[in-house]
Amino acid sequence: MRPATKEYELTIDNHTLPITNPDKPLWPDAKVTKLDYLRYLLIVAAPLLRYSKDRLLTVIRYPHGIGDKHFYQKNAPDYAPDWIQTHTWENVRYVLCNDRATLVWMANQAALEWHVSFHLAKDETPTELVFDLDPSTDDFAVVIESCLLLKQLLDELQLPSWVKTSGSSGLQVYVPIELCYSFEQTRQVGHFIASYLVSKHPSLLTIERFVKNRGDKLYIDYLQHWRGKTLPAPYSTRAKEQATVSTPLLWEEVPHCHPTDFTVYTVPKRLETFGDLFSSVSAPTKRASLDAILGFLQSQ
């Protein structure tokens, strides 16, 4: 039997990669094929990798596109090339999202979502404090209002913050912090901030973990921020009909934004216009201290 011919080959950083089924529609409604997806990833590779480098990677794979079955993958597959960097953490051999060739190889396996840890693979120190704003309804105005209230409080606490869309239904707020705190400490701070906001806006916000008990309130998720847990990386695509992307924003954009504004087609132009709006999180020149808040909490 003759071996199957390779439909396409791409050479990246001295690695020649076969691209199978380049015309496969991965986001059919948005008319995004595998080749379109690979082009997008190569455009956003630098800022995506800037944040994701050396973090534990979980991908969601959709072998036949977003309308079909999918599965989460944490363990590096046995057939992965030996040049792909990995790290074993808690008995899982994770891929490290460290270079363009790894992005392309994983994308050819129909990895359509890229979720990374809040800490580096070899160091369980959280690199930022994160709040995931998860709405209970389709009304994005609630997400915007909640996000701006959180921003106001963080400003009052003198904690600089950056925001990105989740690529799905919410917004996510990041505060780069000094690399000296444990996840137990960041959880204390996250709980304090979220609980304070809920106490001030009880009809709008909740920290109730069970969806059935939230009603139509927005959930401020501070619990996701923990060792080994993940959120979508900046510039990660999401498995949504419009081929949306988890996209960093300017704070002045928040009052008028919607997740569907930011897609495989629109984000490359944003990068040309604004540059990497997440660079202050990915490679911060200054990190915030949580000492004052932790000191206050310990005194109560």
Side-chain angles (χ1 to χ4, degrees), residues 32-194:
V32 177
T33 66
K34 182 184 283 188
L35 207 55
D36 295 326
Y37 177 44
L38 293 174
R39 290 192 188 102
Y40 167 78
L41 283 179
L42 289 173
I43 291 171
V44 304
L48 192 161
L49 294 170
R50 188 177 297 125
Y51 181 82
S52 302
K53 182 176 173 60
D54 291 330
R55 295 178 188 261
L56 306 173
L57 174 68
T58 298
V59 295
I60 309 180
R61 290 175 54 182
Y62 290 77
H64 304 292
I66 67 164
D68 210 311
K69 296 178 181 179
H70 67 276
F71 60 94
Y72 287 76
Q73 180 176 296
K74 295 186 176 185
N75 267 300
D78 294 338
Y79 53 85
D82 57 11
W83 49 262
I84 286 183
Q85 298 178 54
T86 63
H87 180 79
T88 299
W89 185 81
E90 294 194 347
N91 299 315
V92 176
R93 181 171 164 258
Y94 285 89
V95 169
L96 301 181
C97 194
N98 283 3
D99 53 64
R100 298 188 307 159
T102 298
L103 280 178
V104 170
W105 187 85
M106 299 283 289
N108 189 54
Q109 308 295 313
L112 303 190
E113 296 197 9
W114 308 77
H115 298 245
V116 292
S117 60
F118 300 103
H119 59 88
L120 301 182
K122 297 181 180 180
D123 185 350
E124 290 189 10
T125 303
T127 55
E128 60 271 316
L129 179 67
V130 181
F131 299 89
D132 185 16
L133 306 182
D134 184 10
S136 299
T137 71
D138 294 331
D139 184 3
F140 198 70
V142 172
V143 185
I144 291 172
E145 181 181 2
S146 304
C147 190
L148 294 176
L149 289 170
L150 175 58
K151 170 71 160 71
Q152 181 180 8
L153 177 56
L154 293 173
D155 286 349
E156 292 172 359
L157 294 170
Q158 299 183 346
L159 295 176
S161 58
W162 281 262
V163 60
K164 69 180 179 72
T165 67
S166 68
S168 181
S169 59
L171 292 170
Q172 295 159 349
V173 178
Y174 286 62
V175 178
I177 56 175
E178 293 178 355
L179 302 177
C180 61
Y181 302 107
S182 66
F183 276 101
E184 287 79 8
Q185 289 174 308
T186 57
R187 179 160 288 184
Q188 289 177 47
V189 174
H191 178 261
F192 166 69
I193 291 173

Side-chain angles (χ1 to χ4, degrees), residues 191-212:
H191 178 261
F192 166 69
I193 291 173
S195 297
Y196 180 83
L197 277 177
V198 169
S199 72
K200 294 296 182 182
H201 308 279
S203 64
L204 177 69
L205 305 171
T206 184
I207 55 172
E208 170 58 55
R209 293 184 65 184
F210 294 102
V211 175
K212 65 180 181 179

Side-chain angles (χ1 to χ4, degrees), residues 264-297:
V264 164
Y265 294 116
T266 64
V267 168
K269 182 63 176 178
R270 282 181 61 83
L271 269 178
E272 287 184 18
T273 303
F274 297 116
D276 178 17
L277 294 178
F278 223 58
S279 60
S280 293
V281 179
S282 302
T285 56
K286 185 176 181 181
R287 293 179 175 275
S289 171
L290 301 180
D291 288 356
I293 299 175
L294 288 168
F296 168 77
L297 295 174

